[in-house]
Amino acid sequence: MHVDVSELEAHRVSLTGHCYRMLGSAADADDAVQETIVRAWRSLDRFEGRASVKTWLHRIATNVCLDTLSDSSRRMLPFEEEGPTTSIEHAKLMARDRTHWLEPIADARVIPADADPFEAAVLRQSIRLAFVAALQHLPPRQRAALLLTEVLGWSAAEVAECLEMTVAAVNSGLQRARATIAARKALAPEALTDEQTRLLEQYVDSFQRYDVDRLVTLLRDDVVFSMPPYTLWLQGPRPVADWLTIGPGAKCRGSRLVPIQASGSPSFAHYHPGKEAGTHEAWAIIVLELDGNRIAGWNSFLDVETLFPMFDLPMRMT
């Protein structure tokens, strides 16, 4: 069966989504997809067409990811590692390497443009930070089995063949994986309500006006505020308010937020006031997690050198 490189490239977006869910990193997902395309190209003469090209490529991608992962390797968010910082005055900013943290990803890089509304909704939910973070708690092969069945719609028999397992072992692993995901409360949210849309408008307006008093009224009482690559994280509106007014966050006054589509959630590119008058410089990718009419999670990813190019965002605005 003849397959050319353009047909392989046609599945890059879907492959990127699969590798991102497996690895928790947009940059690592790109590397894994590139390796997948290379392996597929080298083995085209052995492709017999018994499965679709898409299925064949996702089998290769799954094995590329499994080759990368160890049973103990997982990315995380700061609140999964240590307790919250309670004293802003004595807070220490300790950073970890970017390979330690979960990363956001641009929706457009993992959701095919021709996906139907139902498929797009499923894919968008599967790249939410809470879901991808929960996946990181699964052993790699269990993680792969869950994604192949729940996201790609494979049968247990197809997964068993891909992972070289028995169908019984796949079904047992899936049962454990689903229990883990449910226990971590990583279930999919509903579409944004009108009230939540107004909430986001108020968030942007308050942040850009730097009306911190109004801003913190939008936060849930147990809101989690984090800033990877720093280990520090805060919990509750009062610590967040202190961080933004008397803590290091006070330098965010005068910032600008640009709406983007990231991690299937309300998201913004955060531009910090620049050194030159009238300029703003890349500062963070903000991904919000909503609960009802309040913000439950405020995640600011500060690795702009890696992330902003992946969103096709400029590093500087005038």
Side-chain angles (χ1 to χ4, degrees):
M1 180 177 179
H2 177 71
V3 178
D4 60 30
V5 70
S6 64
E7 191 167 356
L8 302 182
E9 286 290 340
H11 298 284
R12 182 176 286 273
V13 172
S14 179
L15 291 169
T16 300
H18 182 58
C19 293
Y20 171 71
R21 296 178 202 101
M22 283 290 294
L23 302 174
S25 162
D28 289 358
D30 274 352
D31 292 341
V33 171
Q34 195 58 38
E35 175 63 18
T36 297
I37 299 295
V38 170
R39 290 190 190 184
W41 180 250
R42 289 174 176 169
S43 59
L44 274 179
D45 59 334
R46 298 194 296 275
F47 178 60
E48 299 175 352
R50 289 183 296 175
S52 68
V53 173
K54 180 179 180 180
T55 297
W56 177 60
L57 286 172
H58 280 79
R59 288 187 63 173
I60 297 173
T62 298
N63 284 295
V64 169
C65 292
L66 291 175
D67 290 344
T68 301
L69 294 166
S70 67
D71 287 341
S72 60
S73 63
R74 73 179 181 93
R75 288 172 176 261
M76 62 185 68
L77 293 169
F79 66 85
E80 297 183 278
E81 194 168 42
E82 303 175 355
T85 298
T86 56
S87 174
I88 302 302
E89 186 178 357
H90 300 101
K92 295 180 180 180
L93 286 176
M94 297 176 58
R96 288 187 179 270
D97 190 83
R98 57 162 292 272
T99 59
H100 186 78
W101 302 116
L102 193 69
E103 294 176 346
I105 195 164
D107 289 10
R109 299 182 65 236
V110 296
I111 302 176
D114 60 353
D116 63 54
F118 177 78
E119 180 188 8
V122 171
L123 293 175
R124 190 171 291 110
Q125 292 163 359
S126 72
I127 58 171
R128 289 176 49 247
L129 290 177
F131 182 70
V132 180
L135 288 172
Q136 300 291 302
H137 290 268
L138 302 177
R141 293 169 77 81
Q142 204 176 97
R143 192 184 312 172
L146 184 73
L147 291 173
L148 291 171
T149 54
E150 300 292 317
V151 179
L152 295 181
W154 288 23
S155 68
E158 290 173 313
V159 175
E161 183 181 358
C162 175
L163 300 180
E164 298 181 346
M165 300 168 62
T166 65
V167 172
V170 168
N171 285 328
S172 176
L174 286 172
Q175 188 175 12
R176 293 193 298 273
R178 289 167 181 147
T180 299
I181 297 298
R184 302 195 71 82
K185 299 179 181 179
L187 302 179
E190 300 295 328
L192 288 180
T193 64
D194 291 342
E195 189 176 26
Q196 288 174 328
T197 299
R198 289 191 293 271
L199 169 69
L200 295 174
E201 292 171 352
Q202 293 170 19
Y203 171 82
V204 172
D205 183 63
S206 300
F207 193 73
Q208 294 189 153
R209 291 175 181 271
Y210 221 65
D211 184 347
V212 175
D213 288 339
R214 180 189 181 207
L215 182 62
V216 296
T217 66
L218 310 176
L219 308 180
R220 204 170 68 178
D221 289 344
D222 60 350
V223 64
V224 170
F225 175 94
S226 66
M227 302 175 298
Y230 296 114
T231 58
L232 174 146
W233 65 280
L234 309 172
Q235 186 165 40
R238 189 70 264 158
V240 173
D242 289 344
W243 180 264
L244 294 174
T245 52
I246 62 175
K251 65 177 68 174
C252 290
R253 185 183 298 275
S255 292
R256 291 291 176 265
L257 300 182
V258 177
I260 59 174
Q261 293 183 316
S263 294
S265 303
S267 306
F268 304 90
H270 176 184
Y271 285 88
H272 200 269
K275 296 179 181 178
E276 299 178 17
T279 66
H280 286 79
E281 298 175 355
W283 186 256
I285 296 293
I286 296 176
V287 180
L288 300 179
E289 297 169 278
L290 306 185
D291 179 23
N293 63 348
R294 289 290 182 271
I295 295 169
W298 179 343
N299 308 281
S300 291
F301 296 89
L302 306 183
D303 184 15
V304 295
E305 297 294 336
T306 298
L307 295 175
F308 269 57
M310 290 187 173
F311 285 83
D312 295 324
L313 291 166
M315 299 299 289
R316 190 169 183 266
M317 292 173 56
T318 57

